Amino acid sequence: MKPFTIEPADNDSITLSGFYMRNCLDFKAEYSETTGKISIPAGTPVFDYCGSYLIYLYPWNTEDEEVIMRPIEYKYIGNNVWECNSDLMLVAIQGEEMQMSVFSSGSRIARCNGTTNNTSYVGTADEQDEYIESRPSYVTISGNNIDIYNILQADQYGYGVHLSGTIDRTAGKVWFGYTLTGQANDGNYRILTGCEYDEDTNMPTKVAYSGTNNYGKVRASIDLEKGEIAIDPMAIWVAEYSESGIMVDENQFYEFVKTVNVTYDVSKTDISAIEAPSMTNVEKEVSHIDYYAIDGRKLAEPQEGSLVIKVTVYTDGTRKADKIVYLRNR
């Protein structure tokens, strides 16, 4: 999920900022107060590459492999969520040359309903930089399943960090799974886990709950009535791929996240079935599966061990997107 902002422009339009990536162009879209539909003109410029060429956003006809000139429509589906079922393509035009890159295979817009505050540290014990940060976030709760989007700063591709977990309502606790947050330029993975740390050096020492079934998980306290979540310390570690999977290097880390506190509107977290594909897709028939690079390029055959977006397309037209490490025949 990529964070961006929407602001009113006039009576029947809105301005979208940060829709494509960091430092992209702002643009206007039509907005219907009657239906809640957001309509983005086909061919809207979304990025200016150093003044040398522009990148435009179009609906895409996958079968005929050509752009579609009708507007991109996001229909309001309830609970502050808008959905577009069209494939979207980025088109870079430089002179007479055109280059295509997939933006998304279906997408959603969700209104943030929470705020996340964190204190993080980067560097060694002797030369640590402290970062006190705050950002809007999106919290959804379905039964005992909870998801928090944009809980930490967006990665180099503009995606905010997403945590998914299970609520123990009796104890007022949440167990979140560890999550990949991207890849560094040297090819190493960035993985966010719960961690133990040394109070004297203020440095993470190892992945939390080593040797247990909760290895790497992130624990949190939750007050469901007040809409408050306090998350235990976490670290973003250097990780490598091997035949046995992702291996965390506990001697190297990118960031120590000492505190994270989330507040959210308890009246705006219940989600409808269409927003919970992991639960509703159990009985659905899969049409096909597509893979995309993190930068949006569609992949014919992902590289073994690479970080990709897996898009499962069902016969009823709905889609489910997951960020995964591609492991062939597993």
Side-chain angles (χ1 to χ4, degrees):
M1 179 172 284
K2 294 181 179 180
F4 69 97
T5 60
I6 295 177
E7 295 181 352
D10 48 48
N11 291 336
D12 57 358
S13 66
I14 54 177
T15 298
L16 289 80
S17 303
F19 185 79
Y20 167 42
M21 63 181 299
R22 293 175 179 174
N23 302 317
C24 67
L25 299 174
D26 296 351
F27 61 87
K28 286 187 177 182
E30 293 183 4
Y31 175 71
S32 170
E33 291 188 355
T34 303
T35 64
K37 182 173 67 177
I38 297 172
S39 182
I40 301 172
T44 293
V46 294
F47 193 76
D48 183 348
Y49 189 79
C50 302
S52 59
Y53 63 88
L54 291 173
I55 297 177
Y56 303 86
L57 184 65
Y58 284 93
W60 180 252
N61 185 324
T62 303
E63 184 176 344
D64 296 333
E65 295 189 344
E66 61 183 13
V67 298
I68 301 171
M69 297 310 298
R70 60 173 168 75
I72 301 165
E73 294 187 345
Y74 283 85
K75 296 181 179 179
Y76 185 67
I77 60 173
N79 298 317
N80 289 304
V81 175
W82 291 257
E83 184 173 65
C84 172
N85 287 320
S86 301
D87 292 336
L88 303 180
M89 183 69 71
L90 297 168
V91 180
I93 301 177
Q94 187 174 24
E96 296 182 356
E97 295 185 5
M98 297 178 62
Q99 184 174 353
M100 313 294 188
S101 177
V102 174
F103 176 74
S104 70
S105 181
S107 62
R108 288 178 183 163
I109 296 172
R111 189 191 304 275
C112 290
N113 57 6
T115 301
T116 297
N117 297 283
N118 69 281
T119 301
S120 299
Y121 298 88
V122 175
T124 62
D126 297 331
E127 298 181 0
Q128 278 190 332
D129 294 323
E130 182 183 60
Y131 295 89
I132 300 175
E133 302 166 330
S134 179
R135 70 198 57 80
S137 53
Y138 180 50
V139 181
T140 66
I141 297 174
S142 178
N144 290 327
N145 298 315
I146 181 171
D147 289 271
I148 307 177
Y149 298 89
N150 204 38
I151 194 168
L152 292 177
Q153 293 284 24
D155 64 17
Q156 65 267 44
Y157 300 106
Y159 289 94
V161 176
H162 166 215
L163 286 180
S164 182
T166 303
I167 302 171
D168 181 338
R169 293 176 179 268
T170 302
K173 300 292 183 182
V174 180
W175 284 101
F176 291 105
Y178 55 80
T179 184
L180 290 167
T181 66
Q183 275 183 287
N185 293 332
D186 59 7
N188 285 320
Y189 293 104
R190 301 171 184 262
I191 188 167
L192 176 70
T193 76
C195 74
E196 297 182 14
Y197 74 100
D198 187 312
E199 293 186 1
D200 294 331
T201 62
N202 207 42
M203 298 274 285
T205 55
K206 64 178 182 178
V207 176
Y209 310 109
S210 178
T212 73
N213 292 333
N214 291 323
Y215 175 74
K217 289 187 177 181
V218 179
R219 192 178 67 169
S221 300
I222 186 169
D223 189 320
L224 291 164
E225 293 183 356
K226 294 181 179 179
E228 297 175 350
I229 304 170
I231 300 176
D232 287 357
M234 302 180 288
I236 301 177
W237 307 93
V238 174
E240 296 181 354
Y241 169 77
S242 69
E243 289 300 321
S244 58
I246 296 294
M247 305 296 293
V248 175
D249 184 349
E250 294 181 332
N251 295 314
Q252 299 185 71
F253 70 96
Y254 295 103
E255 182 177 342
F256 171 42
V257 187
K258 191 171 186 177
T259 65
V260 178
N261 292 284
V262 182
T263 57
Y264 62 91
D265 187 337
V266 295
S267 67
K268 297 179 179 178
T269 57
D270 290 334
I271 61 177
S272 63
I274 198 167
E275 296 173 68
S278 61
M279 298 177 64
T280 60
N281 287 340
V282 175
E283 302 299 330
K284 292 185 179 182
E285 181 180 352
V286 175
S287 170
H288 61 277
I289 296 175
D290 295 320
Y291 294 94
Y292 297 86
I294 296 298
D295 61 6
R297 292 177 294 107
K298 190 172 184 179
L299 304 172
E301 178 68 23
Q303 182 179 355
E304 180 82 357
S306 62
L307 184 64
V308 299
I309 304 297
K310 175 184 176 183
V311 178
T312 304
V313 182
Y314 297 89
T315 53
D316 64 359
T318 58
R319 304 162 187 260
K320 176 186 176 185
D322 298 292
K323 188 188 293 185
I324 66 166
V325 175
Y326 180 75
L327 303 176
R328 190 178 293 109
N329 297 326
R330 298 186 189 182

mmCIF file of all heavy atoms in Angstrom, residues 14 61 66 86 102 117 140 146 154-155 175 188 195 225 227 247 262 265 273 305 310:
data_model
loop_
_atom_site.group_PDB
_atom_site.id
_atom_site.type_symbol
_atom_site.label_atom_id
_atom_site.label_comp_id
_atom_site.label_asym_id
_atom_site.label_seq_id
_atom_site.Cartn_x
_atom_site.Cartn_y
_atom_site.Cartn_z
ATOM 1 N N ILE A 14 -11.202 16.564 -7.170
ATOM 2 C CA ILE A 14 -10.261 16.451 -6.058
ATOM 3 C C ILE A 14 -8.844 16.477 -6.615
ATOM 4 O O ILE A 14 -8.617 16.243 -7.805
ATOM 5 C CB ILE A 14 -10.481 15.142 -5.263
ATOM 6 C CG1 ILE A 14 -10.431 13.927 -6.209
ATOM 7 C CG2 ILE A 14 -11.787 15.185 -4.496
ATOM 8 C CD1 ILE A 14 -10.576 12.593 -5.514
ATOM 9 N N ASN A 61 -5.607 -2.603 -21.814
ATOM 10 C CA ASN A 61 -6.263 -3.792 -22.340
ATOM 11 C C ASN A 61 -5.213 -4.893 -22.427
ATOM 12 O O ASN A 61 -4.377 -4.896 -23.335
ATOM 13 C CB ASN A 61 -6.861 -3.498 -23.721
ATOM 14 C CG ASN A 61 -7.669 -4.667 -24.271
ATOM 15 O OD1 ASN A 61 -7.316 -5.826 -24.061
ATOM 16 N ND2 ASN A 61 -8.746 -4.355 -24.972
ATOM 17 N N GLU A 66 -2.882 -2.879 -25.401
ATOM 18 C CA GLU A 66 -2.962 -1.490 -25.826
ATOM 19 C C GLU A 66 -3.656 -0.663 -24.755
ATOM 20 O O GLU A 66 -4.414 -1.189 -23.925
ATOM 21 C CB GLU A 66 -3.715 -1.367 -27.153
ATOM 22 C CG GLU A 66 -5.154 -1.848 -27.092
ATOM 23 C CD GLU A 66 -5.855 -1.777 -28.433
ATOM 24 O OE1 GLU A 66 -5.154 -1.600 -29.448
ATOM 25 O OE2 GLU A 66 -7.092 -1.906 -28.467
ATOM 26 N N SER A 86 -9.631 -2.391 -13.085
ATOM 27 C CA SER A 86 -8.915 -2.337 -14.362
ATOM 28 C C SER A 86 -7.413 -2.506 -14.159
ATOM 29 O O SER A 86 -6.864 -2.118 -13.124
ATOM 30 C CB SER A 86 -9.171 -0.994 -15.057
ATOM 31 O OG SER A 86 -10.542 -0.783 -15.291
ATOM 32 N N VAL A 102 3.909 -1.768 -15.931
ATOM 33 C CA VAL A 102 2.650 -2.019 -15.223
ATOM 34 C C VAL A 102 2.607 -1.225 -13.919
ATOM 35 O O VAL A 102 3.549 -1.255 -13.129
ATOM 36 C CB VAL A 102 2.482 -3.521 -14.923
ATOM 37 C CG1 VAL A 102 1.246 -3.757 -14.059
ATOM 38 C CG2 VAL A 102 2.375 -4.309 -16.219
ATOM 39 N N ASN A 117 2.838 6.721 15.650
ATOM 40 C CA ASN A 117 3.998 7.465 16.143
ATOM 41 C C ASN A 117 5.077 6.472 16.544
ATOM 42 O O ASN A 117 4.785 5.475 17.217
ATOM 43 C CB ASN A 117 3.621 8.326 17.354
ATOM 44 C CG ASN A 117 2.595 9.387 17.006
ATOM 45 O OD1 ASN A 117 2.911 10.404 16.412
ATOM 46 N ND2 ASN A 117 1.345 9.138 17.377
ATOM 47 N N THR A 140 -7.394 -2.141 9.912
ATOM 48 C CA THR A 140 -8.609 -2.916 9.652
ATOM 49 C C THR A 140 -8.663 -4.089 10.618
ATOM 50 O O THR A 140 -7.642 -4.708 10.922
ATOM 51 C CB THR A 140 -8.661 -3.450 8.207
ATOM 52 O OG1 THR A 140 -7.618 -4.407 8.001
ATOM 53 C CG2 THR A 140 -8.522 -2.322 7.201
ATOM 54 N N ILE A 146 -6.165 -8.607 12.339
ATOM 55 C CA ILE A 146 -5.897 -7.174 12.307
ATOM 56 C C ILE A 146 -4.776 -6.885 11.321
ATOM 57 O O ILE A 146 -3.810 -7.651 11.213
ATOM 58 C CB ILE A 146 -5.530 -6.636 13.711
ATOM 59 C CG1 ILE A 146 -5.273 -5.122 13.656
ATOM 60 C CG2 ILE A 146 -4.340 -7.376 14.306
ATOM 61 C CD1 ILE A 146 -5.128 -4.474 15.027
ATOM 62 N N ALA A 154 7.563 4.750 4.290
ATOM 63 C CA ALA A 154 7.539 4.031 3.024
ATOM 64 C C ALA A 154 8.949 3.621 2.617
ATOM 65 O O ALA A 154 9.927 4.298 2.923
ATOM 66 C CB ALA A 154 6.915 4.908 1.940
ATOM 67 N N ASP A 155 9.038 2.471 1.933
ATOM 68 C CA ASP A 155 10.332 2.017 1.443
ATOM 69 C C ASP A 155 10.732 2.805 0.199
ATOM 70 O O ASP A 155 10.076 3.774 -0.188
ATOM 71 C CB ASP A 155 10.314 0.512 1.166
ATOM 72 C CG ASP A 155 9.352 0.129 0.043
ATOM 73 O OD1 ASP A 155 8.936 1.012 -0.733
ATOM 74 O OD2 ASP A 155 9.015 -1.055 -0.060
ATOM 75 N N TRP A 175 -0.455 -10.662 18.191
ATOM 76 C CA TRP A 175 0.775 -11.234 17.647
ATOM 77 C C TRP A 175 0.809 -10.920 16.160
ATOM 78 O O TRP A 175 -0.026 -11.395 15.396
ATOM 79 C CB TRP A 175 0.824 -12.748 17.863
ATOM 80 C CG TRP A 175 1.140 -13.148 19.268
ATOM 81 C CD1 TRP A 175 0.271 -13.562 20.227
ATOM 82 C CD2 TRP A 175 2.438 -13.172 19.875
ATOM 83 N NE1 TRP A 175 0.932 -13.838 21.398
ATOM 84 C CE2 TRP A 175 2.269 -13.609 21.215
ATOM 85 C CE3 TRP A 175 3.724 -12.863 19.428
ATOM 86 C CZ2 TRP A 175 3.334 -13.752 22.096
ATOM 87 C CZ3 TRP A 175 4.789 -13.006 20.311
ATOM 88 C CH2 TRP A 175 4.592 -13.446 21.618
ATOM 89 N N ASN A 188 20.443 -7.401 -0.684
ATOM 90 C CA ASN A 188 19.983 -7.984 0.572
ATOM 91 C C ASN A 188 18.546 -7.562 0.863
ATOM 92 O O ASN A 188 18.109 -6.474 0.486
ATOM 93 C CB ASN A 188 20.879 -7.535 1.733
ATOM 94 C CG ASN A 188 22.221 -8.232 1.729
ATOM 95 O OD1 ASN A 188 22.307 -9.413 1.448
ATOM 96 N ND2 ASN A 188 23.272 -7.487 2.033
ATOM 97 N N CYS A 195 12.225 -7.886 18.343
ATOM 98 C CA CYS A 195 13.631 -8.057 18.719
ATOM 99 C C CYS A 195 13.831 -7.875 20.218
ATOM 100 O O CYS A 195 13.004 -7.284 20.915
ATOM 101 C CB CYS A 195 14.520 -7.069 17.958
ATOM 102 S SG CYS A 195 14.399 -5.356 18.541
ATOM 103 N N GLU A 225 -11.437 -0.831 22.938
ATOM 104 C CA GLU A 225 -12.447 0.190 23.210
ATOM 105 C C GLU A 225 -11.916 1.590 22.927
ATOM 106 O O GLU A 225 -12.625 2.442 22.387
ATOM 107 C CB GLU A 225 -12.921 0.087 24.660
ATOM 108 C CG GLU A 225 -13.691 -1.201 24.962
ATOM 109 C CD GLU A 225 -14.214 -1.228 26.383
ATOM 110 O OE1 GLU A 225 -13.917 -0.275 27.148
ATOM 111 O OE2 GLU A 225 -14.927 -2.188 26.737
ATOM 112 N N GLY A 227 -9.133 2.185 21.034
ATOM 113 C CA GLY A 227 -8.452 2.257 19.748
ATOM 114 C C GLY A 227 -6.988 2.616 19.905
ATOM 115 O O GLY A 227 -6.486 3.521 19.232
ATOM 116 N N MET A 247 17.282 -15.927 5.601
ATOM 117 C CA MET A 247 18.131 -16.049 6.782
ATOM 118 C C MET A 247 18.469 -14.653 7.300
ATOM 119 O O MET A 247 19.009 -13.822 6.570
ATOM 120 C CB MET A 247 19.420 -16.802 6.436
ATOM 121 C CG MET A 247 19.177 -18.179 5.807
ATOM 122 S SD MET A 247 18.335 -19.321 6.927
ATOM 123 C CE MET A 247 19.605 -19.542 8.172
ATOM 124 N N VAL A 262 0.029 3.250 18.037
ATOM 125 C CA VAL A 262 -0.984 3.496 17.016
ATOM 126 C C VAL A 262 -2.298 3.862 17.696
ATOM 127 O O VAL A 262 -2.726 3.186 18.637
ATOM 128 C CB VAL A 262 -1.201 2.249 16.132
ATOM 129 C CG1 VAL A 262 -2.225 2.541 15.039
ATOM 130 C CG2 VAL A 262 0.116 1.781 15.527
ATOM 131 N N ASP A 265 -9.552 5.175 14.896
ATOM 132 C CA ASP A 265 -10.976 5.396 15.117
ATOM 133 C C ASP A 265 -11.666 4.037 15.176
ATOM 134 O O ASP A 265 -11.745 3.333 14.166
ATOM 135 C CB ASP A 265 -11.539 6.244 13.976
ATOM 136 C CG ASP A 265 -12.988 6.660 14.204
ATOM 137 O OD1 ASP A 265 -13.691 5.981 14.980
ATOM 138 O OD2 ASP A 265 -13.419 7.654 13.596
ATOM 139 N N ALA A 273 -16.655 -7.841 3.371
ATOM 140 C CA ALA A 273 -16.079 -9.057 2.809
ATOM 141 C C ALA A 273 -15.132 -8.758 1.658
ATOM 142 O O ALA A 273 -14.114 -9.417 1.486
ATOM 143 C CB ALA A 273 -17.195 -9.979 2.329
ATOM 144 N N GLY A 305 13.929 -16.526 -5.486
ATOM 145 C CA GLY A 305 14.361 -15.798 -4.304
ATOM 146 C C GLY A 305 14.157 -14.302 -4.368
ATOM 147 O O GLY A 305 14.543 -13.595 -3.441
ATOM 148 N N LYS A 310 2.633 -10.894 -5.887
ATOM 149 C CA LYS A 310 1.848 -11.987 -6.456
ATOM 150 C C LYS A 310 0.384 -11.558 -6.506
ATOM 151 O O LYS A 310 -0.202 -11.225 -5.478
ATOM 152 C CB LYS A 310 1.995 -13.246 -5.599
ATOM 153 C CG LYS A 310 1.121 -14.415 -6.047
ATOM 154 C CD LYS A 310 1.251 -15.587 -5.078
ATOM 155 C CE LYS A 310 0.309 -16.724 -5.446
ATOM 156 N NZ LYS A 310 0.383 -17.842 -4.470
#
